[in-house]
Amino acid sequence: MDNEIINIPEPVLRRLVRYHYYLLKQVETGSLMISSTSIADHLNLDSVLVRKDLQYTGLVGRPKTGWVTEELLKAIESTLGWNNFNDVFLVGAGRLGSTLLHYGGFKNYGFNFVAAFDVNPEVVGTEINGIKILHTDKLVNLAERMHIHIGVLTVPAENAQVAANLLVEGGIKAIWNFAPIQIDVTKDVIVVNAQMTQEIAILANKLSGLLKAKLES
Amino acid sequence: MDNEIINIPEPVLRRLVRYHYYLLKQVETGSLMISSTSIADHLNLDSVLVRKDLQYTGLVGRPKTGWVTEELLKAIESTLGWNNFNDVFLVGAGRLGSTLLHYGGFKNYGFNFVAAFDVNPEVVGTEINGIKILHTDKLVNLAERMHIHIGVLTVPAENAQVAANLLVEGGIKAIWNFAPIQIDVTKDVIVVNAQMTQEIAILANKLSGLLKAKLES
DNA sequence: TAGATTGTTAATCGATTAACAATC
DNA sequence: TAGATTGTTAATCGATTAACAATC
């Protein structure tokens, strides 16, 4: 009833993902306890910031010792919703789509691909990594029947809006859009765009700052 | 000498990318002039924020009319450094790597793939989208000779650190890392991680907020 | 106990929004 | 001119950092 997964600020979410990754490595190396100071040191952050962020998990640390590493890892997973599966549809089983299907790692983040869709007769009917590729005709009906909430969009830009409409028609509530185009959806549907171009812009800006600093020194 | 591409805050960079995309569409539809209010309306932002952001381009708008659409587009491109090519090496010509090579769109963002590297004898010597795949042995020497500054890392997690070391040894200054692992580099090298897991976390958090809001209403 | 680390309250910093004069 | 839109200065908001008491 009192679900805690609510409205966590984006910067905090991004850092929780980084803590998760670091803790995973620490658990593997046999670390039993972990402190905010050690996390902060490794990720180049302030330890107070780490403690503030970790409060979103609801877990309380022990002075002098910190947190039980594995407990904290689980708490972060639960806060991020990575401990229960979300069934996911993928639309567009081309190069990028099949790359995502082949990569099994998304399961660790609660993303469970249950079916993929395409119109290309060469791929419809085949399987990628155990996931069936079906014709897009079947999407709306199946999404409704299976109560799918999440769709991943990996179609070419020119087909993205049509594909998005199908997802929405099928009752999908959130779309992860890899098509290099802004898609229009009704207000009650969430769109998260894959932000490769933004990452390129950030990289280029940092690089030019670095090169300039070097010139001046 | 007085290069303007310096130290723009990340949120501003991310929005400049969105303005760029919107302006591109507007130019295509024949729009000659554009105002901060119309940009703000379409992207669900405050118009003052848009004007503040656009000041980073150095361009001044005209009261009552706004900016010349195409001029503003060019100014944003120049601010983001998208008007001149950066030669880029890609390491790891597997599924993801070849998907990126096939996608020609990165050229529009100043990313020019000049060579790719792998160790798999089946791909070394072949070409993808006109880009030669060479053996990783050749990376360091070629990077030095060609003065490459940017590397894209699309190798499996277990090879990522070794590949990153090669890039750094070759004098590369910035790495766009798609491997699901944190790579260690010397302080003077920039690493921008592809943040798919962060995007998943943001999507899941927004979705659970939405579903909860619906439950309560 | 002493020391390390937590969690909290206050201060600072940076980014966004509000108010408004300037201008085409 | 009147109205729309710009750019600037001040106010607000949110996120980060600093200071410090609480605790194991």
Side-chain angles (χ1 to χ4, degrees):
Chain A
M1 201 96 307
D2 193 32
N3 195 340
E4 330 196 7
I5 314 173
I6 207 81
N7 223 22
I8 300 175
E10 201 173 301
V12 178
L13 283 173
R14 289 185 182 272
R15 283 192 300 266
L16 285 174
V17 171
R18 300 178 62 194
Y19 305 154
H20 178 265
Y21 173 73
Y22 178 64
L23 290 172
L24 206 62
K25 275 203 308 181
Q26 289 310 107
V27 167
E28 275 169 16
T29 64
S31 148
L32 295 177
M33 302 294 294
I34 195 111
S35 71
S36 63
T37 41
S38 72
I39 297 175
D41 284 353
H42 281 272
L43 301 179
N44 260 314
L45 299 168
D46 193 297
S47 75
V48 184
L49 186 61
V50 174
R51 286 200 292 282
K52 277 252 167 79
D53 288 346
L54 293 182
Q55 286 176 1
Y56 282 97
T57 65
L59 218 61
V60 272
R62 293 179 72 191
K64 174 129 176 168
T65 48
W67 291 263
V68 178
T69 316
E70 205 155 352
E71 230 171 77
L72 186 55
L73 182 70
K74 295 292 171 210
I76 291 176
E77 282 177 1
S78 147
T79 305
L80 294 175
W82 287 355
N83 53 341
N84 53 3
F85 281 146
N86 284 299
D87 284 345
V88 174
F89 273 7
L90 180 140
V91 195
R95 268 185 237 287
L96 179 57
S98 57
T99 300
L100 295 183
L101 293 174
H102 270 109
Y103 175 63
F106 289 130
K107 274 220 178 87
N108 301 323
Y109 312 113
F111 256 52
N112 185 37
F113 289 115
V114 289
F117 298 85
D118 208 303
V119 290
N120 181 353
E122 286 187 20
V123 297
V124 169
T126 66
E127 270 190 15
I128 294 180
N129 203 12
I131 299 142
K132 285 218 171 71
I133 319 292
L134 309 170
H135 195 279
T136 312
D137 288 347
K138 306 232 166 77
L139 196 160
V140 175
N141 191 265
L142 262 179
E144 279 173 354
R145 274 171 40 203
M146 297 178 74
H147 297 100
I148 305 294
H149 286 142
I150 300 177
V152 176
L153 208 52
T154 48
V155 297
E158 55 269 30
N159 306 329
Q161 187 59 57
V162 174
N165 294 347
L166 288 178
L167 287 167
V168 173
E169 199 186 331
I172 260 151
K173 292 288 160 238
I175 296 175
W176 192 14
N177 175 36
F178 283 82
I181 187 174
Q182 191 76 32
I183 54 174
D184 282 331
V185 294
T186 45
K187 274 263 163 156
D188 60 333
V189 175
I190 292 152
V191 176
V192 172
N193 294 300
Q195 326 232 276
M196 299 203 207
T197 47
Q198 297 189 2
E199 287 166 12
I200 289 179
I202 291 164
L203 183 140
N205 186 258
K206 285 187 178 175
L207 181 60
S208 72
L210 184 103
L211 294 177
K212 199 188 175 193
K214 181 163 284 183
L215 259 172
E216 281 166 0
S217 69
Chain B
M1 203 95 308
D2 192 32
N3 197 340
E4 331 196 8
I5 313 173
I6 207 78
N7 224 20
I8 300 174
E10 201 172 300
V12 177
L13 283 173
R14 290 186 182 272
R15 284 191 299 268
L16 284 174
V17 171
R18 300 178 62 195
Y19 305 155
H20 178 266
Y21 174 74
Y22 178 63
L23 289 173
L24 207 62
K25 274 202 309 183
Q26 289 310 106
V27 166
E28 275 168 17
T29 63
S31 147
L32 294 177
M33 302 293 295
I34 196 110
S35 72
S36 63
T37 41
S38 73
I39 297 175
D41 285 353
H42 280 271
L43 302 179
N44 260 315
L45 298 168
D46 192 299
S47 75
V48 184
L49 186 62
V50 175
R51 285 200 293 282
K52 276 251 167 77
D53 289 345
L54 293 182
Q55 286 176 3
Y56 282 96
T57 65
L59 218 60
V60 273
R62 293 178 70 189
K64 174 126 178 174
T65 48
W67 291 263
V68 177
T69 316
E70 205 155 351
E71 230 172 74
L72 185 56
L73 183 69
K74 295 293 171 208
I76 291 176
E77 283 177 0
S78 146
T79 305
L80 294 174
W82 287 355
N83 52 340
N84 52 3
F85 280 145
N86 283 299
D87 284 345
V88 175
F89 274 7
L90 179 140
V91 196
R95 268 185 238 287
L96 179 57
S98 57
T99 301
L100 295 183
L101 293 175
H102 269 110
Y103 174 63
F106 290 130
K107 275 220 179 86
N108 302 323
Y109 311 115
F111 256 52
N112 185 38
F113 289 115
V114 290
F117 298 86
D118 209 302
V119 290
N120 181 353
E122 285 188 20
V123 298
V124 169
T126 66
E127 271 189 16
I128 294 178
N129 203 13
I131 298 143
K132 286 217 170 69
I133 319 291
L134 309 171
H135 194 280
T136 312
D137 288 347
K138 306 232 167 79
L139 196 160
V140 175
N141 190 265
L142 260 180
E144 279 173 352
R145 274 171 40 204
M146 296 177 75
H147 299 99
I148 304 293
H149 286 142
I150 300 176
V152 177
L153 208 52
T154 48
V155 297
E158 56 269 28
N159 305 330
Q161 187 60 56
V162 174
N165 294 348
L166 288 178
L167 287 168
V168 173
E169 199 187 332
I172 260 151
K173 293 287 159 240
I175 295 175
W176 192 14
N177 175 36
F178 283 82
I181 188 175
Q182 191 78 31
I183 54 173
D184 281 331
V185 294
T186 45
K187 274 262 163 157
D188 60 332
V189 175
I190 293 152
V191 177
V192 171
N193 294 301
Q195 326 233 277
M196 299 204 208
T197 47
Q198 298 190 1
E199 287 166 11
I200 288 179
I202 291 164
L203 182 140
N205 185 259
K206 286 186 177 175
L207 180 60
S208 72
L210 184 102
L211 294 176
K212 197 187 175 195
K214 181 163 283 182
L215 259 171
E216 281 166 359
S217 69

